Amino acid sequence: MSNKQIHGLFDDDELTFKAAKSLVEKGIRVKDVFSPFPIHGIDPVIGVPRTNLHIAGFIFGLCGISLALFMFWFTMIHDWPINVGGKPNGNLLQNLPAFIPVTFEMTVFLSAHGMVLSYLVVNKMYPGKKGWNPDPRTTDDKFLIQVNLEDNDGHSAEEVKEILKASGAEEINEPG
């Protein structure tokens, strides 16, 4: 089987959404959709799974809380206890209300930065990587549906082209 692709170029996001839906309804797997802005609801149509980034954010938030509370315990109770106003300094729970704002900030800081780094690692968007876009017009005002024929056994290129044309595609290309 060849590594043949078909690109359908559209000028409207609603037409793109309907075309992707009609392709999937006919059993044709859509590899990707390129657009200048997100198209609401297209991810489940083309089979993009839900992300688990929120779980990573929760774990990084727990790390932030733990790091902040450890920092307070170590600096203010264990390593360098200071008697301020005659108040005892030996228990972290006694002094917890004073630590809440900084603990919250540390939680948000680690959660946000951890999610950004996780996103970049999972999507292989490391510094210096050259981006790939099949048609530069998709960054301005066009929408592109990419179909890989090797992913769609039993469906011919002509069948995919007919569905794209019937859905309102302006151009249909077969690169490389």
Side-chain angles (χ1 to χ4, degrees):
M1 182 64 63
S2 67
N3 191 14
K4 191 174 182 183
Q5 296 179 350
I6 297 177
H7 295 164
L9 197 67
F10 296 85
D11 66 346
D12 186 33
D13 59 331
E14 291 179 21
L15 285 175
T16 307
F17 184 84
K18 289 176 184 174
K21 199 169 191 175
S22 67
L23 284 166
V24 170
E25 286 173 353
K26 297 205 168 74
I28 297 170
R29 185 179 179 280
V30 175
K31 173 68 175 162
D32 208 348
V33 174
F34 296 85
S35 69
F37 55 83
I39 301 173
H40 179 69
I42 202 162
D43 290 347
V45 170
I46 64 172
V48 175
R50 286 184 52 92
T51 179
N52 290 327
L53 192 59
H54 61 282
I55 296 171
F58 181 73
I59 291 169
F60 287 122
L62 286 178
C63 291
I65 288 173
S66 301
L67 184 64
L69 292 176
F70 174 75
M71 179 183 68
F72 287 128
W73 171 82
F74 183 76
T75 57
M76 300 186 78
I77 295 171
H78 178 72
D79 188 43
W80 196 262
I82 298 175
N83 188 352
V84 178
K87 295 179 182 175
N89 214 6
N91 189 354
L92 182 66
L93 293 178
Q94 266 181 326
N95 301 321
L96 191 60
F99 302 152
I100 288 176
V102 177
T103 304
F104 172 76
E105 293 299 326
M106 190 65 128
T107 302
V108 171
F109 180 81
L110 277 184
S111 182
H113 285 79
M115 284 194 302
V116 166
L117 291 175
S118 296
Y119 177 81
L120 294 175
V121 167
V122 167
N123 291 311
K124 299 178 183 111
M125 296 175 64
Y126 48 84
K129 182 178 180 194
K130 186 168 171 50
W132 179 79
N133 189 354
D135 194 328
R137 294 177 288 178
T138 60
T139 61
D140 292 331
D141 63 346
K142 300 294 181 190
F143 303 85
L144 186 133
I145 294 179
Q146 176 186 349
V147 176
N148 287 354
L149 288 180
E150 69 180 15
D151 296 341
N152 295 295
D153 294 334
H155 296 283
S156 67
E158 288 74 30
E159 183 182 358
V160 174
K161 287 180 188 177
E162 286 175 18
I163 295 170
L164 288 171
K165 193 71 166 170
S167 299
E170 284 182 353
E171 284 181 34
I172 299 172
N173 302 318
E174 294 183 48

